[in-house]
Amino acid sequence: MSEHSPISESRHSAKKPNLFLEGIHFRIALTLFAITGVVALLLGVVNGLTKDKIAAIAEEKAIAARTEVLPDAVSFNDLSYAEGVISSVYEARDASGGLLGFAIETGANGFGGPIQQIVGIEVGSENGSYQLRVSGVSILDMSDETPGVGSKANTSSFLGQFVGMTLGILTGDADAVSSATSDLSYDAVSGATYSSEGVRAGVEAALTIATQIIEESGGTVE
Amino acid sequence: MKQSYKKIFMDGLLHQNPVLVQLLGVCSILAVTTSLENALGMSLAVTIVLTLSNMVISLLRKIIPNEVRIVSYIVVIAGFVTVVDLLMQAFLPALANSLGIFIPLIVVNCIILARAEAFASKNGILASAVDGLGMGLGYSFVIAFVGLVREILGNGTILGFEIFGGFYQPCSMFIMPAGAFIVLGCTIALYQAIHLRMEAGKEGKK
């Protein structure tokens, strides 16, 4: 078989049949093995050196994003909740330990993939029932959206329109909209309908889950 | 066949420009030139990786067997890009944030493999570094130009700043894929027209 190989023809005579152990094939395999081995070793070393630092930076970013959407919060407790588009729920408390709101990480689908964002929800109480309002939205990762088109949804003018919204206003419930104290409405970014919808769906999911958490603990949500 | 470093550099930048003449790396140009900022990020990443991978491959050129050279180059380039990516994420998080998606894309940028095969595997380490730098900068100025034109026409901005003060309605086709082809095609045509005229001028003087 080796007689037909162009490699063996150029360097070996037909007298040496065992090309693998003695000849060129062995050298090729060994060199390639050595190169991949060295590269793999290098990657392992670099990964070991940088792993903790990268994880710490990601954690720092998440903390910064949670603080951005709920600036008054002093501590955040992980409620270890993940379901559907919700990837984490943090409960925010103020200095005296009172419930301030929730920072909820969602990953609803935009145009190219999930949009990772943190939605801050403020919990206010009045006449024995709770009101949940969006306090801020911060995008963590929307790199699957088209740069220059879908990425336009990551602007303060688009994200800012969610601030102050309740679940009723966001879903267009007529009673909630007419009784709203200020003029709140949702406008998609033109040309980026799917990306806008991804952000909006994440906010809606966050409001829904926050409502559910309050109701499960025995409160009523207005 | 020794070439002067100046000639190697100028070949990369103009005469053998990887994009305008060799038509390499076109897919990355079409994909990331939706804004000047993205284009600059990509050009920086490609130039650095191209120069360094050229040097490493030139260093290994006597060790790598001819039969498996392409595989070896890809392993070296991919390993190299991953190391750069990890180091940037750990130590330059701000830069990694803005270049994030472009770094892994460099592995499949055919300019790097083409220069490894066509130049670094046959030349010394210093010449390979100069070639990488020249080719990288040649790629950079084309990608920056296309990014600039597409951002102005498609978005009405330069690096995110509004420049027309509202009277120009941006034509969003230019930040769509179709606009990328049109702008790149016109850029190549423009380069060829200037290049041919210059060549004709040289001939005339002789």
Side-chain angles (χ1 to χ4, degrees), chain A residues 129-150:
Chain A
S129 67
Y130 293 98
Q131 281 121 2
L132 304 180
R133 290 180 182 280
V134 176
S135 62
V137 180
S138 170
I139 306 278
L140 297 176
D141 181 11
M142 60 172 354
S143 53
D144 291 330
E145 304 307 295
T146 318
V149 184

PDB file of all heavy atoms in Angstrom, chain A residues 129-150:
ATOM      1  N   SER A 129     -51.131  46.705  49.764  1.00  0.00           N
ATOM      2  CA  SER A 129     -50.731  45.907  48.610  1.00  0.00           C
ATOM      3  C   SER A 129     -49.450  46.490  48.017  1.00  0.00           C
ATOM      4  O   SER A 129     -49.090  47.635  48.284  1.00  0.00           O
ATOM      5  CB  SER A 129     -51.849  45.876  47.564  1.00  0.00           C
ATOM      6  OG  SER A 129     -52.004  47.161  47.036  1.00  0.00           O
ATOM      7  N   TYR A 130     -48.784  45.675  47.247  1.00  0.00           N
ATOM      8  CA  TYR A 130     -47.487  46.069  46.710  1.00  0.00           C
ATOM      9  C   TYR A 130     -47.598  46.584  45.271  1.00  0.00           C
ATOM     10  O   TYR A 130     -48.444  46.117  44.510  1.00  0.00           O
ATOM     11  CB  TYR A 130     -46.526  44.877  46.716  1.00  0.00           C
ATOM     12  CG  TYR A 130     -46.167  44.422  48.105  1.00  0.00           C
ATOM     13  CD1 TYR A 130     -46.830  43.348  48.690  1.00  0.00           C
ATOM     14  CD2 TYR A 130     -45.162  45.064  48.818  1.00  0.00           C
ATOM     15  CE1 TYR A 130     -46.501  42.918  49.957  1.00  0.00           C
ATOM     16  CE2 TYR A 130     -44.828  44.642  50.094  1.00  0.00           C
ATOM     17  CZ  TYR A 130     -45.493  43.571  50.663  1.00  0.00           C
ATOM     18  OH  TYR A 130     -45.161  43.163  51.914  1.00  0.00           O
ATOM     19  N   GLN A 131     -46.728  47.525  44.940  1.00  0.00           N
ATOM     20  CA  GLN A 131     -46.625  47.943  43.545  1.00  0.00           C
ATOM     21  C   GLN A 131     -45.237  47.620  43.036  1.00  0.00           C
ATOM     22  O   GLN A 131     -44.255  47.892  43.725  1.00  0.00           O
ATOM     23  CB  GLN A 131     -46.833  49.447  43.394  1.00  0.00           C
ATOM     24  CG  GLN A 131     -48.267  49.852  43.441  1.00  0.00           C
ATOM     25  CD  GLN A 131     -48.507  50.812  44.573  1.00  0.00           C
ATOM     26  OE1 GLN A 131     -47.577  51.193  45.283  1.00  0.00           O
ATOM     27  NE2 GLN A 131     -49.751  51.198  44.750  1.00  0.00           N
ATOM     28  N   LEU A 132     -45.200  47.016  41.877  1.00  0.00           N
ATOM     29  CA  LEU A 132     -43.906  46.675  41.277  1.00  0.00           C
ATOM     30  C   LEU A 132     -43.682  47.556  40.065  1.00  0.00           C
ATOM     31  O   LEU A 132     -44.502  47.576  39.151  1.00  0.00           O
ATOM     32  CB  LEU A 132     -43.879  45.202  40.837  1.00  0.00           C
ATOM     33  CG  LEU A 132     -44.181  44.175  41.924  1.00  0.00           C
ATOM     34  CD1 LEU A 132     -44.117  42.777  41.353  1.00  0.00           C
ATOM     35  CD2 LEU A 132     -43.203  44.315  43.076  1.00  0.00           C
ATOM     36  N   ARG A 133     -42.563  48.297  40.091  1.00  0.00           N
ATOM     37  CA  ARG A 133     -42.241  49.155  38.958  1.00  0.00           C
ATOM     38  C   ARG A 133     -40.816  48.895  38.507  1.00  0.00           C
ATOM     39  O   ARG A 133     -39.943  48.640  39.336  1.00  0.00           O
ATOM     40  CB  ARG A 133     -42.372  50.629  39.345  1.00  0.00           C
ATOM     41  CG  ARG A 133     -43.796  51.065  39.560  1.00  0.00           C
ATOM     42  CD  ARG A 133     -43.869  52.522  39.950  1.00  0.00           C
ATOM     43  NE  ARG A 133     -45.247  52.909  40.202  1.00  0.00           N
ATOM     44  CZ  ARG A 133     -46.122  53.211  39.242  1.00  0.00           C
ATOM     45  NH1 ARG A 133     -45.741  53.190  37.975  1.00  0.00           N
ATOM     46  NH2 ARG A 133     -47.353  53.532  39.548  1.00  0.00           N
ATOM     47  N   VAL A 134     -40.588  49.015  37.217  1.00  0.00           N
ATOM     48  CA  VAL A 134     -39.232  48.845  36.691  1.00  0.00           C
ATOM     49  C   VAL A 134     -38.390  50.037  37.135  1.00  0.00           C
ATOM     50  O   VAL A 134     -38.805  51.181  36.993  1.00  0.00           O
ATOM     51  CB  VAL A 134     -39.259  48.764  35.153  1.00  0.00           C
ATOM     52  CG1 VAL A 134     -37.839  48.679  34.591  1.00  0.00           C
ATOM     53  CG2 VAL A 134     -40.089  47.574  34.700  1.00  0.00           C
ATOM     54  N   SER A 135     -37.210  49.761  37.712  1.00  0.00           N
ATOM     55  CA  SER A 135     -36.343  50.867  38.120  1.00  0.00           C
ATOM     56  C   SER A 135     -35.189  51.061  37.135  1.00  0.00           C
ATOM     57  O   SER A 135     -34.521  52.088  37.148  1.00  0.00           O
ATOM     58  CB  SER A 135     -35.779  50.620  39.513  1.00  0.00           C
ATOM     59  OG  SER A 135     -34.989  49.455  39.512  1.00  0.00           O
ATOM     60  N   GLY A 136     -34.966  50.079  36.279  1.00  0.00           N
ATOM     61  CA  GLY A 136     -33.901  50.248  35.289  1.00  0.00           C
ATOM     62  C   GLY A 136     -33.636  48.948  34.559  1.00  0.00           C
ATOM     63  O   GLY A 136     -33.954  47.867  35.054  1.00  0.00           O
ATOM     64  N   VAL A 137     -33.097  49.062  33.353  1.00  0.00           N
ATOM     65  CA  VAL A 137     -32.736  47.891  32.561  1.00  0.00           C
ATOM     66  C   VAL A 137     -31.301  48.090  32.109  1.00  0.00           C
ATOM     67  O   VAL A 137     -30.938  49.169  31.638  1.00  0.00           O
ATOM     68  CB  VAL A 137     -33.646  47.735  31.318  1.00  0.00           C
ATOM     69  CG1 VAL A 137     -33.249  46.508  30.516  1.00  0.00           C
ATOM     70  CG2 VAL A 137     -35.105  47.656  31.728  1.00  0.00           C
ATOM     71  N   SER A 138     -30.483  47.051  32.291  1.00  0.00           N
ATOM     72  CA  SER A 138     -29.089  47.151  31.876  1.00  0.00           C
ATOM     73  C   SER A 138     -28.725  45.919  31.057  1.00  0.00           C
ATOM     74  O   SER A 138     -28.945  44.791  31.486  1.00  0.00           O
ATOM     75  CB  SER A 138     -28.200  47.266  33.122  1.00  0.00           C
ATOM     76  OG  SER A 138     -26.860  47.145  32.756  1.00  0.00           O
ATOM     77  N   ILE A 139     -28.216  46.154  29.850  1.00  0.00           N
ATOM     78  CA  ILE A 139     -27.864  45.039  28.964  1.00  0.00           C
ATOM     79  C   ILE A 139     -26.483  44.508  29.351  1.00  0.00           C
ATOM     80  O   ILE A 139     -25.524  45.273  29.465  1.00  0.00           O
ATOM     81  CB  ILE A 139     -27.815  45.508  27.494  1.00  0.00           C
ATOM     82  CG1 ILE A 139     -29.126  46.182  27.094  1.00  0.00           C
ATOM     83  CG2 ILE A 139     -27.452  44.355  26.566  1.00  0.00           C
ATOM     84  CD1 ILE A 139     -30.232  45.278  26.713  1.00  0.00           C
ATOM     85  N   LEU A 140     -26.395  43.197  29.555  1.00  0.00           N
ATOM     86  CA  LEU A 140     -25.095  42.586  29.830  1.00  0.00           C
ATOM     87  C   LEU A 140     -24.428  42.138  28.535  1.00  0.00           C
ATOM     88  O   LEU A 140     -23.240  42.314  28.334  1.00  0.00           O
ATOM     89  CB  LEU A 140     -25.248  41.366  30.742  1.00  0.00           C
ATOM     90  CG  LEU A 140     -25.799  41.615  32.143  1.00  0.00           C
ATOM     91  CD1 LEU A 140     -25.966  40.295  32.860  1.00  0.00           C
ATOM     92  CD2 LEU A 140     -24.859  42.518  32.915  1.00  0.00           C
ATOM     93  N   ASP A 141     -25.203  41.483  27.674  1.00  0.00           N
ATOM     94  CA  ASP A 141     -24.615  40.918  26.465  1.00  0.00           C
ATOM     95  C   ASP A 141     -25.680  40.832  25.378  1.00  0.00           C
ATOM     96  O   ASP A 141     -26.672  40.132  25.535  1.00  0.00           O
ATOM     97  CB  ASP A 141     -24.061  39.516  26.782  1.00  0.00           C
ATOM     98  CG  ASP A 141     -23.413  38.871  25.573  1.00  0.00           C
ATOM     99  OD1 ASP A 141     -23.204  39.570  24.566  1.00  0.00           O
ATOM    100  OD2 ASP A 141     -23.117  37.664  25.631  1.00  0.00           O
ATOM    101  N   MET A 142     -25.481  41.582  24.292  1.00  0.00           N
ATOM    102  CA  MET A 142     -26.377  41.422  23.144  1.00  0.00           C
ATOM    103  C   MET A 142     -25.529  41.254  21.878  1.00  0.00           C
ATOM    104  O   MET A 142     -25.851  41.769  20.821  1.00  0.00           O
ATOM    105  CB  MET A 142     -27.396  42.566  23.032  1.00  0.00           C
ATOM    106  CG  MET A 142     -26.805  43.937  22.878  1.00  0.00           C
ATOM    107  SD  MET A 142     -27.998  45.260  22.521  1.00  0.00           S
ATOM    108  CE  MET A 142     -29.559  44.481  22.274  1.00  0.00           C
ATOM    109  N   SER A 143     -24.445  40.498  22.023  1.00  0.00           N
ATOM    110  CA  SER A 143     -23.515  40.378  20.902  1.00  0.00           C
ATOM    111  C   SER A 143     -24.083  39.560  19.745  1.00  0.00           C
ATOM    112  O   SER A 143     -23.504  39.536  18.664  1.00  0.00           O
ATOM    113  CB  SER A 143     -22.189  39.775  21.372  1.00  0.00           C
ATOM    114  OG  SER A 143     -22.420  38.580  22.064  1.00  0.00           O
ATOM    115  N   ASP A 144     -25.230  38.876  19.954  1.00  0.00           N
ATOM    116  CA  ASP A 144     -25.837  38.145  18.840  1.00  0.00           C
ATOM    117  C   ASP A 144     -26.692  39.045  17.957  1.00  0.00           C
ATOM    118  O   ASP A 144     -27.139  38.630  16.891  1.00  0.00           O
ATOM    119  CB  ASP A 144     -26.715  36.999  19.369  1.00  0.00           C
ATOM    120  CG  ASP A 144     -25.870  35.905  20.002  1.00  0.00           C
ATOM    121  OD1 ASP A 144     -24.725  35.730  19.557  1.00  0.00           O
ATOM    122  OD2 ASP A 144     -26.349  35.252  20.943  1.00  0.00           O
ATOM    123  N   GLU A 145     -26.940  40.283  18.421  1.00  0.00           N
ATOM    124  CA  GLU A 145     -27.756  41.196  17.612  1.00  0.00           C
ATOM    125  C   GLU A 145     -26.878  41.874  16.553  1.00  0.00           C
ATOM    126  O   GLU A 145     -25.672  42.026  16.756  1.00  0.00           O
ATOM    127  CB  GLU A 145     -28.397  42.259  18.510  1.00  0.00           C
ATOM    128  CG  GLU A 145     -29.230  41.680  19.636  1.00  0.00           C
ATOM    129  CD  GLU A 145     -30.268  40.686  19.175  1.00  0.00           C
ATOM    130  OE1 GLU A 145     -31.192  41.071  18.466  1.00  0.00           O
ATOM    131  OE2 GLU A 145     -30.140  39.486  19.516  1.00  0.00           O
ATOM    132  N   THR A 146     -27.485  42.276  15.448  1.00  0.00           N
ATOM    133  CA  THR A 146     -26.715  42.893  14.370  1.00  0.00           C
ATOM    134  C   THR A 146     -26.073  44.189  14.852  1.00  0.00           C
ATOM    135  O   THR A 146     -26.779  45.086  15.315  1.00  0.00           O
ATOM    136  CB  THR A 146     -27.642  43.228  13.189  1.00  0.00           C
ATOM    137  OG1 THR A 146     -28.529  42.150  13.000  1.00  0.00           O
ATOM    138  CG2 THR A 146     -26.851  43.483  11.932  1.00  0.00           C
ATOM    139  N   PRO A 147     -24.742  44.310  14.740  1.00  0.00           N
ATOM    140  CA  PRO A 147     -24.114  45.563  15.160  1.00  0.00           C
ATOM    141  C   PRO A 147     -24.631  46.715  14.307  1.00  0.00           C
ATOM    142  O   PRO A 147     -24.772  46.576  13.098  1.00  0.00           O
ATOM    143  CB  PRO A 147     -22.622  45.335  14.901  1.00  0.00           C
ATOM    144  CG  PRO A 147     -22.454  43.867  14.721  1.00  0.00           C
ATOM    145  CD  PRO A 147     -23.770  43.347  14.223  1.00  0.00           C
ATOM    146  N   GLY A 148     -24.952  47.832  14.934  1.00  0.00           N
ATOM    147  CA  GLY A 148     -25.415  48.996  14.193  1.00  0.00           C
ATOM    148  C   GLY A 148     -26.907  48.983  13.908  1.00  0.00           C
ATOM    149  O   GLY A 148     -27.463  49.997  13.539  1.00  0.00           O
ATOM    150  N   VAL A 149     -27.547  47.805  14.058  1.00  0.00           N
ATOM    151  CA  VAL A 149     -28.995  47.754  13.847  1.00  0.00           C
ATOM    152  C   VAL A 149     -29.660  47.359  15.166  1.00  0.00           C
ATOM    153  O   VAL A 149     -30.210  48.194  15.873  1.00  0.00           O
ATOM    154  CB  VAL A 149     -29.371  46.776  12.708  1.00  0.00           C
ATOM    155  CG1 VAL A 149     -30.868  46.817  12.451  1.00  0.00           C
ATOM    156  CG2 VAL A 149     -28.621  47.112  11.445  1.00  0.00           C
ATOM    157  N   GLY A 150     -29.563  46.054  15.503  1.00  0.00           N
ATOM    158  CA  GLY A 150     -30.162  45.580  16.741  1.00  0.00           C
ATOM    159  C   GLY A 150     -29.499  46.178  17.957  1.00  0.00           C
ATOM    160  O   GLY A 150     -30.124  46.402  18.991  1.00  0.00           O
TER     161      GLY A 150
END
